[in-house]
Amino acid sequence: MNVNGVPMRTIWLNDDGWSVEIIDQTIFPFSFETLTLRNVEDCARAIADMYVRGAPLIGATAAYGMALAMRDDSSDAALAHAYETLHATRPTAINLKWALDRFKAVLTPLPADERMINAYKHAALLCDEDVAVNSTIGDYGLALINDIAKDKAPGTPVNILTHCNAGWLATVDWGTATSPIYKAHDMGINVHVWVDETRPRNQGNSLTAWELGQHGVAHHVIVDNAGGHLMQHGQVDMVLTGTDRTSANGDVCNKIGTYLKALAARDNNIPFYVALPSSTIDFSLHDGVANIPIEERSGTEVSHVLGRTADGKVQTMQITPDGSPLANPAFDVTPARLVSGLITERGIAAATTEALAALFPERAGKTS
Ligand code: MRU
């Protein structure tokens, strides 16, 4: 997508041919800066501390982490160490394990002196695939938006509510939930997005709102609790989110608060769709509510917020009383029964074991 009119991805190889550039997502929307990753530890830190985030981009960063690791040491021991270091960063998004398993399978059979070059090639391939997959998700999702648009009175927008950032900043490009939105906007469909702020880290108001603004998509940022009210008053036509892990039966794990949006959507007869690359499906789990591990992050994400003061200083401020105990589960799981459909690169599947298995027969029944 474009940043100030210049096309960009979220991760790319530096001109030096080996180090890796990312966009620092911790300082949005106040600054736009890039960071250079030079080794596997840099990549692990970038994922754990959320300089990069979003399930597909976490996978892509891990891919380049494996390449950087192989540049420093391409032994079996280094391969295993890099896998473990990256795998330990964040527990919920399954794209991380998916990417690491792919690298393990590609690199392990190779002689050590061929691993580095193949790891770089494979990281570039994984990124290109992510872009293509998300673009295709956009085409399938666009058809849904178009159908809604046809039923609307002329001049009225299709109102889409989204949660967290499942935009291009969460992927290599296009985004998952935003891909259909960008395609609809580019086709001239009148779309308007309700952007949940997405406490505690505010990925909605810092990332999604920024992205949509860059692309010229009409939107309003709302507090996380506003969605139900808007739905009751006919101001939401569709909820569209991403996911960090979807189990084989179609339970959808996504940023904390997604479940409440799905409940409100069901109560108001509003379709709740989830856009995802198949790398986000965990075919080894058959009950996402019970089995998807939910990351518990630092309480300081709850007690503190980043903001800009009237005189332009970017500051972190405490908003809770000293000493109040804090809890910060970062994700929740929306049961499949509340999901209207899963928009994948192979089409839109019902959120059921049978439908997902029919779309991805080569992966269904496997352990990862
Ligand atoms: O904690 P984050 O910012 O990594 O969480 C991201 C989300 O929950 C996204 O909605 C999800 O990864 C889908 S991204 C295409």
Side-chain angles (χ1 to χ4, degrees):
M1 306 304 286
N2 290 346
V3 178
N4 300 324
V6 180
M8 279 197 92
R9 287 184 176 187
T10 52
I11 187 164
W12 64 97
L13 206 57
N14 194 319
D15 288 344
D16 63 16
W18 67 270
S19 64
V20 175
E21 296 290 307
I22 56 164
I23 299 167
D24 179 356
Q25 300 195 21
T26 62
I27 51 174
F28 268 69
F30 308 114
S31 304
F32 185 91
E33 287 173 25
T34 60
L35 288 173
T36 307
L37 309 177
R38 295 189 171 81
N39 51 46
V40 65
E41 284 76 24
D42 284 353
C43 293
R45 204 172 314 115
I47 298 170
D49 294 344
M50 295 179 66
Y51 291 89
V52 290
R53 24 67 52 207
L57 181 56
I58 289 171
T61 308
Y64 273 113
M66 292 301 274
L68 288 167
M70 293 300 95
R71 181 175 185 270
D72 286 338
D73 178 354
S74 57
S75 65
D76 283 355
L79 182 56
H81 176 73
Y83 184 108
E84 290 314 322
T85 304
L86 292 161
H87 190 238
T89 51
R90 296 195 71 190
T92 301
I94 194 65
N95 304 59
L96 175 60
K97 182 173 183 301
W98 168 84
L100 291 172
D101 284 346
R102 243 175 98 153
F103 272 74
K104 197 165 150 186
V106 167
L107 300 179
T108 305
L110 296 175
D113 62 350
E114 289 178 20
R115 284 179 178 165
M116 180 187 87
I117 185 150
N118 278 287
Y120 272 102
K121 269 191 202 153
H122 204 72
L125 178 72
L126 185 144
C127 288
D128 288 347
E129 277 175 20
D130 184 71
V131 178
V133 159
N134 295 331
S135 173
T136 308
I137 287 170
D139 296 332
Y140 285 115
L142 166 63
L144 288 174
I145 296 176
N146 208 8
D147 283 348
I148 296 172
K150 282 187 205 143
D151 290 339
K152 303 269 309 187
T156 44
V158 176
N159 287 304
I160 300 171
L161 184 141
T162 193
H163 193 70
C164 196
N165 174 260
W168 73 269
L169 289 169
T171 64
V172 179
D173 206 350
W174 281 108
T176 56
T178 55
S179 183
I181 294 170
Y182 290 134
K183 295 212 175 201
H185 172 84
D186 293 350
M187 260 188 65
I189 297 174
N190 187 357
V191 272
H192 166 264
V193 184
W194 297 112
V195 179
D196 281 353
E197 59 176 345
T198 319
R199 278 282 287 148
R201 286 190 70 105
N202 291 316
Q203 289 95 328
N205 60 28
S206 63
L207 304 175
T208 307
W210 178 87
E211 273 192 27
L212 295 173
Q214 284 283 324
H215 203 79
V217 179
H219 63 279
H220 282 83
V221 178
I222 52 174
V223 296
D224 290 327
N225 298 326
H229 164 77
L230 294 170
M231 291 183 208
Q232 281 177 325
H233 291 275
Q235 295 191 61
V236 179
D237 295 302
M238 173 192 206
V239 179
L240 180 52
T241 75
T243 168
D244 294 82
R245 190 185 305 213
T246 289
S247 52
N249 64 326
D251 292 340
V252 167
C253 181
N254 193 48
K255 183 54 55 190
I256 193 78
T258 304
Y259 173 42
L260 290 176
K261 298 301 164 325
L263 285 171
R266 175 55 56 93
D267 194 44
N268 289 283
N269 249 328
I270 292 164
F272 177 94
Y273 280 96
V274 178
L276 67 158
S278 57
S279 49
T280 306
I281 305 170
D282 185 345
F283 281 100
S284 74
L285 298 183
H286 299 276
D287 178 348
V289 178
N291 295 321
I292 295 178
I294 301 297
E295 179 178 14
E296 180 75 31
R297 292 189 60 87
S298 163
T300 56
E301 292 183 349
V302 177
S303 59
H304 289 69
V305 288
L306 183 73
R308 186 165 57 199
T309 59
D311 60 357
K313 278 198 204 87
V314 176
Q315 276 182 358
T316 301
M317 313 261 285
Q318 183 177 332
I319 55 169
T320 52
D322 288 338
S324 269
L326 304 159
N328 187 13
F331 299 93
D332 60 27
V333 182
T334 298
R337 66 188 151 77
L338 298 178
V339 178
S340 309
L342 300 167
I343 310 170
T344 78
E345 71 272 25
R346 291 198 190 158
I348 301 176
T352 62
T353 305
E354 298 70 30
L356 281 174
L359 219 47
F360 300 98
E362 76 286 7
R363 289 194 55 212
K366 301 260 168 66
T367 51
S368 64

